[in-house]
Amino acid sequence: MAALGWLTPRRRSATARSVLAGEASAEAARKSSQEQEELDALAARTAPDEGEREPEFPVVGDDKAAAFFDLDNTVMQGAAIFHFGRGLYKRKFFERQELFRFAWQQAWFRLAGVEDPEHMQDARDSALSIVKGHRVAELMSIGEEIYDEYMAERIWPGTRALAQAHLDAGQKVWLVTAAPVEIATVIARRLGLTGALGTVAESIGGVYTGKLVGEPLHGPAKAEAVRALAAAEGLDLGRCAAYSDSHNDIPMLSLVGHPYAINPDAKLRKHARERDWRLRDYRTGRKAAKVGIPAAAGVGALAGGAAAAVALHRRRH
């Protein structure tokens, strides 16, 4: 009837029309209020209370969780193997032309911000030929010096804070890199991390032979190494985190429940955004559209390289 009254206003007096308008307005207000109350009630039923909100990450005391960090351009600016080569040249391990090659590869890496497989393979081959005949203990000692000379100042503070957040939560933190395991171990120790998975160069009697044990720890091999280490450590990969700058590490990132793209190359950035992974770019300080960081933080082994690294370590000792 109210609607009919609006259609035939002439049949009512001004007072009647005013009453009708008032009644219609009141009814609309009442209906609106009821709808809002229903929405508020629904929100109250479905919204988590303070004790049910998304927990902080990393989770303190979760001994089934760990964090895995790529090294080059994720933890450290540039590539560790290039800095290592620079240090070896200073100690007259090789000639000037080799230094020029290392310098060119490092310059390209820093400008492009991505790994070139040919450059990385060339660098690994050069390093293997250079260290052939040298003692493992000698290279470990030199690695400590090279870290202080060329690497320490190139650690990204933001990524370092992320790693520290996991350590503060009582979790283990591992480097996973195609760099020589000896150098990776030095870096991990100097940063206070748990350890490192990296390239295992063959040694007999503590002397490098110039060969690799298996294949480089790169791409899918990193994921296999992480999987093997997680099994040995009794970790739940769904509760673990992984951090990398490179699309080559998508297999490793996809393996864990908390993948992070750090200083990502274009392919990884696109992949991460499509899957709503967390991103952080310390090269510019900017955040990507879907950004998040843990609350507390404001030349390679064969697939399954963890076992090879342990075996080689035992053989040396």
Side-chain angles (χ1 to χ4, degrees):
M1 294 298 294
L4 182 60
W6 282 104
L7 291 172
T8 58
R10 293 189 185 89
R11 296 183 181 181
R12 294 178 181 271
S13 65
T15 300
R17 291 199 301 272
S18 296
V19 171
L20 183 60
E23 291 176 348
S25 179
E27 181 64 20
R30 184 169 175 273
K31 183 178 180 181
S32 177
S33 177
Q34 288 177 338
E35 290 175 348
Q36 186 59 49
E37 288 176 359
E38 290 174 359
L39 289 174
D40 290 343
L42 178 62
R45 290 194 300 270
T46 58
D49 58 29
E50 290 299 321
E52 296 176 334
R53 295 188 186 279
E54 182 180 351
E56 290 189 350
F57 184 79
V59 179
V60 176
D62 187 356
D63 60 0
K64 295 296 184 181
F68 302 94
F69 283 79
D70 170 57
L71 176 57
D72 296 345
N73 214 37
T74 301
V75 171
M76 181 177 65
Q77 300 175 47
I81 194 171
F82 300 143
H83 298 312
F84 185 55
R86 188 177 172 191
L88 292 181
Y89 171 76
K90 179 180 178 181
R91 291 161 178 81
K92 303 185 184 304
F93 271 67
F94 55 89
E95 301 300 323
R96 184 179 298 272
Q97 61 267 26
E98 288 286 345
L99 176 64
F100 288 151
R101 182 162 59 177
F102 271 104
W104 158 245
Q105 291 166 336
Q106 173 66 2
W108 190 95
F109 184 87
R110 296 195 63 173
L111 288 172
V114 296
E115 299 173 1
D116 179 272
E118 292 185 5
H119 284 183
M120 300 301 289
Q121 183 63 50
D122 187 38
R124 282 191 290 269
D125 291 343
S126 296
L128 286 170
S129 65
I130 289 166
V131 302
K132 181 179 180 180
H134 289 275
R135 301 194 65 80
V136 174
E138 177 189 11
L139 268 294
M140 289 290 289
S141 177
I142 291 174
E144 297 279 357
E145 299 172 3
I146 292 175
Y147 177 84
D148 290 327
E149 292 170 3
Y150 300 113
M151 300 180 185
E153 64 182 11
R154 291 178 168 82
I155 301 298
W156 293 107
T159 311
R160 179 69 185 88
L162 296 176
Q164 189 61 48
H166 287 279
L167 293 171
D168 291 343
Q171 298 176 8
K172 293 183 178 181
V173 179
W174 303 83
L175 290 181
V176 187
T177 174
V181 67
E182 290 82 6
I183 300 305
T185 299
V186 168
I187 296 171
R189 182 171 63 251
R190 298 297 287 271
L191 293 177
L193 309 184
T194 307
L197 296 167
T199 293
V200 178
E202 183 184 73
S203 64
I204 298 177
V207 178
Y208 289 112
T209 66
K211 300 177 181 179
L212 288 182
V213 177
E215 295 295 323
L217 194 68
H218 189 264
K222 281 189 178 182
E224 293 304 322
V226 168
R227 195 192 309 274
L229 184 62
E233 294 277 320
L235 302 173
D236 180 350
L237 286 171
R239 290 147 70 174
C240 292
Y243 302 78
S244 180
D245 71 296
S246 175
H247 68 279
N248 294 314
D249 289 338
I250 287 175
M252 178 180 74
L253 294 170
S254 301
L255 194 63
V256 301
H258 302 277
Y260 290 77
I262 306 295
N263 305 327
D265 60 34
K267 290 183 180 179
L268 177 57
R269 184 181 294 275
K270 180 177 183 293
H271 188 90
R273 282 176 168 165
E274 290 173 349
R275 287 156 181 77
D276 202 29
W277 289 357
R278 298 185 181 189
L279 296 99
R280 187 70 178 180
D281 198 326
Y282 296 116
R283 295 167 297 188
T284 63
R286 72 179 184 274
K287 289 185 178 180
K290 292 283 187 179
V291 176
I293 59 173
V299 162
L302 70 166
V310 171
L312 190 64
H313 177 76
R314 287 175 177 169
R315 185 168 66 185
R316 288 177 188 155
H317 292 81

